[in-house]
Amino acid sequence: MKLVKDCVKILDDNWRGSFTIPSSRLYPFQWNWDSGFIAIGNQYYNPERAIQELETLFSAQWSNGFLPHIIFHEEEKYNSYFPSADYWDSFSAKYSPSLIKTSGITQPPITGFVLEELWLNNIDVTRIKTLVEKNLKYHKYLFNNREFKDTGLIQIWHNWESGMDNSIWWDSVLSSIPGEQIEQIELNRKDIHEVEDSKRTRPKDIDYKRYLYLVNELRKNQYNKINDDYPFQIIDPVFNSIFIQSNKSLIKLGKIFDIDVSFYEKKLSDIKSNFNKILWENELELYFPFDIQNQQLIKKECSGSYVPIFSGEIENEKVMSLVKNLFQYNDYYKVPSCDPREESFESINYWRGPVWININWLIWKGLLKYGLLNEAELLREETINLVLDKGFFEYFDPLKNSNSHKGYGGANFSWTAALVLDMLKVKNNELG
Ligand code: 2M8
């Protein structure tokens, strides 16, 4: 099947000997949640690469358990990405590894779930056990350093930690950073030279200055704590839904491997009882992020509002409301990263409107968990067709009547290929 061959070729081309880059030139290093999604796709054709991908990621784990979002593997490429390895300056942080440079923030913790998938697919048990132990240490770090009060819920400290970088969800918080704090920040952006039409498809300079302001503040504290007035303290439903599922997977695997997981069981029950209380909005019947500094939900409809289905831990009634909402419009492809009815919607600007394959995949997985097979199939078909029609890009214009003949951002994008492979696998039950 040609589509399968194309997916495998992209994963092959982006493989760098022990890890996979998301897309050449634009993202020349290893990214945390990308690696999780990539391993999902590689487990069928290349199980050795799937496990190695995670082993390489965890080889850059900090001694306190923290798992960074970028691993800067190839020194000669340090300056081809901004902010560069030197900008992050991880070597000056107490707990960072001393041989490999990394960023100082994390990303949605998908790897626990991925390990369960690899285990189900009979990939080397001894190697999986070692990774489960490391992954549990990472979750312990999150509980010990990022828990919001005693809720079990984890806070993120940077919009890059959400993985949905310039989502309209973060607008209010980021724009609260005073102008004089970012005036002096210098940019040396590389991304804008690597994609077409970057003015309309990538974040603006002023956004980048705010992102860097946050990095600078975190770096002063060795990425390990925040000051009381630090503006970005968010409980993100996407991060936490993925975290719930990964905790469940690690608890299951931990028991199989005779590891004491009682700490995580207690914490998981805390998150489960607080997730809906804090993040569900009753009138709009959607999930939203909670802004801790301003003590309020950020009530804007984004694709992330649906990702909690992936956790498998929300009540049927809520799932049905989400599904009703999700399938009510047919004039755009599912699932736009920002609802087209929102004022800030921009159809081709990165996380402010376009469809992303990883978010569709998470929602699709969630629908399957609830036995919503028709809805899951609709989403799966639409997602695969979008890639067939517009190519293996990073993101896609959701408007059906637009003139977009191809996708946007990075081409030959690894997680697009990997997750399409997974979606094909379920349908055909084999890939050949
Ligand atoms: C994008 O984020 C990076 C920063 O981490 C960037 O824009 O330079 C996001 O889409 C993120 O979710 C993704 O992991 C990363 C690599 O694909 O690119």
Side-chain angles (χ1 to χ4, degrees):
M1 191 181 176
K2 172 147 186 336
L3 190 57
V4 171
K5 283 202 183 116
D6 290 346
C7 294
V8 174
K9 175 157 186 352
I10 290 171
L11 293 178
D12 272 351
D13 290 347
N14 289 341
W15 175 249
R16 290 293 177 272
S18 61
F19 68 97
T20 312
I21 54 162
S23 177
S24 75
R25 300 180 62 89
L26 185 58
Y27 306 119
F29 304 103
Q30 184 176 25
W31 261 260
N32 182 329
W33 75 331
D34 295 62
S35 281
F37 295 127
I38 290 163
I40 290 280
N42 265 336
Q43 67 179 319
Y44 305 115
Y45 269 94
N46 225 317
E48 173 54 32
R49 280 189 191 170
I51 186 107
Q52 231 185 309
E53 183 85 44
L54 298 188
E55 287 171 338
T56 307
L57 177 67
F58 275 95
S59 72
Q61 183 170 29
W62 291 22
S63 62
N64 58 353
F66 172 77
L67 191 65
H69 99 297
I70 307 176
I71 323 298
F72 294 98
H73 287 292
E74 292 165 279
E75 201 171 339
E76 65 281 6
K77 294 202 179 132
Y78 276 179
N79 288 319
S80 63
Y81 178 79
F82 180 78
S84 67
D86 292 338
Y87 195 101
W88 287 98
D89 193 21
S90 57
F91 283 180
S92 69
K94 183 167 167 201
Y95 300 107
S96 113
S98 56
L99 293 177
I100 184 140
K101 294 192 177 183
T102 75
S103 70
I105 58 172
T106 190
Q107 261 187 337
I110 188 80
T111 47
F113 171 72
V114 178
L115 283 171
E116 185 184 351
E117 294 262 305
L118 300 192
W119 179 78
L120 289 169
N121 211 13
N122 296 319
I123 293 179
D124 191 327
V125 177
T126 319
R127 289 164 78 184
I128 291 184
K129 181 177 181 214
T130 306
L131 286 170
V132 166
E133 283 161 346
K134 292 182 179 189
N135 209 143
L136 284 168
K137 197 172 165 200
Y138 168 46
H139 283 208
K140 191 168 259 177
Y141 165 87
L142 291 173
F143 284 123
N144 289 342
N145 293 268
R146 299 291 192 94
E147 186 175 353
F148 174 57
K149 297 192 173 146
D150 285 324
T151 60
L153 293 162
I154 301 302
Q155 3 171 348
I156 55 170
W157 288 345
H158 199 292
N159 50 303
W160 280 332
E161 292 200 313
S162 74
M164 305 174 298
D165 304 358
N166 66 345
S167 164
I168 65 162
W169 273 354
W170 321 133
D171 286 357
S172 54
V173 172
L174 290 171
S175 61
S176 74
I177 299 170
E180 63 271 19
Q181 304 272 19
I182 59 171
E183 256 162 34
Q184 308 297 328
I185 292 180
E186 285 181 21
L187 299 178
N188 184 11
R189 292 179 67 178
K190 313 289 181 193
D191 58 315
I192 46 179
H193 308 297
E194 301 298 347
V195 295
E196 278 177 38
D197 206 358
S198 67
K199 281 217 158 43
R200 297 199 302 147
T201 63
R202 292 282 308 178
K204 300 186 177 34
D205 278 356
I206 183 155
D207 301 323
Y208 254 77
K209 288 190 176 188
R210 291 170 175 146
Y211 307 166
L212 292 178
Y213 168 80
L214 297 179
V215 171
N216 297 347
E217 291 301 296
L218 292 169
R219 192 181 45 216
K220 283 183 206 156
N221 286 321
Q222 301 191 19
Y223 303 105
N224 207 30
K225 59 177 185 174
I226 48 171
N227 299 337
D228 289 343
D229 60 353
Y230 184 75
F232 202 101
Q233 299 178 47
I234 303 280
I235 304 174
D236 170 23
V238 173
F239 191 106
N240 280 281
S241 310
I242 292 175
F243 188 55
I244 289 176
Q245 176 53 65
S246 279
N247 272 300
K248 290 198 291 187
S249 297
L250 291 174
I251 288 169
K252 177 174 164 190
L253 293 175
K255 285 184 174 162
I256 292 167
F257 297 139
D258 253 338
I259 300 169
D260 177 8
V261 287
S262 45
F263 169 83
Y264 304 91
E265 287 182 303
K266 157 78 183 66
K267 288 292 186 191
L268 180 60
S269 85
D270 293 344
I271 317 180
K272 285 205 256 181
S273 62
N274 291 304
F275 187 88
N276 288 299
K277 265 189 227 154
I278 299 185
L279 302 177
W280 174 256
E281 212 284 337
N282 243 332
E283 272 172 38
L284 298 169
E285 301 190 305
L286 289 169
Y287 287 95
F288 296 114
F290 184 74
D291 171 359
I292 296 174
Q293 281 293 31
N294 295 299
Q295 288 291 297
Q296 60 189 16
L297 284 176
I298 302 170
K299 295 184 195 171
K300 307 224 168 188
E301 185 173 341
C302 293
S303 52
S305 294
Y306 299 97
V307 171
I309 301 182
F310 177 75
S311 74
E313 292 299 333
I314 59 180
E315 300 143 15
N316 286 339
E317 209 182 294
K318 292 193 169 70
V319 175
M320 293 327 289
S321 317
L322 290 175
V323 166
K324 202 171 106 214
N325 222 332
L326 182 61
F327 286 93
Q328 67 181 314
Y329 294 103
N330 281 325
D331 44 354
Y332 45 79
Y333 297 108
K334 283 172 216 36
V335 179
S337 45
C338 164
D339 186 292
R341 290 165 295 167
E342 290 282 352
E343 210 181 308
S344 318
F345 170 79
E346 291 176 64
S347 65
I348 59 170
N349 189 344
Y350 213 38
W351 288 92
R352 303 178 73 79
V355 172
W356 287 76
I357 303 305
N358 64 332
I359 299 292
N360 280 16
W361 180 85
L362 289 165
I363 298 171
W364 169 70
K365 280 276 187 199
L367 292 169
L368 288 175
K369 281 183 198 172
Y370 285 90
L372 294 163
L373 302 184
N374 292 339
E375 289 80 357
E377 186 51 19
L378 280 175
L379 182 57
R380 193 189 74 91
E381 267 183 22
E382 191 164 298
T383 307
I384 292 177
N385 286 337
L386 195 59
V387 176
L388 262 176
D389 289 351
K390 316 228 171 188
F392 286 90
F393 282 88
E394 190 182 4
Y395 44 96
F396 302 86
D397 185 341
L399 301 179
K400 288 187 178 167
N401 62 1
S402 76
N403 291 327
S404 304
H405 301 299
K406 51 182 191 154
Y408 294 88
N412 299 325
F413 200 72
S414 294
W415 82 36
T416 301
L419 299 177
V420 165
L421 265 184
D422 191 56
M423 288 181 145
L424 289 168
K425 163 81 181 159
V426 168
K427 176 76 176 175
N428 305 335
N429 209 23
E430 64 173 84
L431 294 169

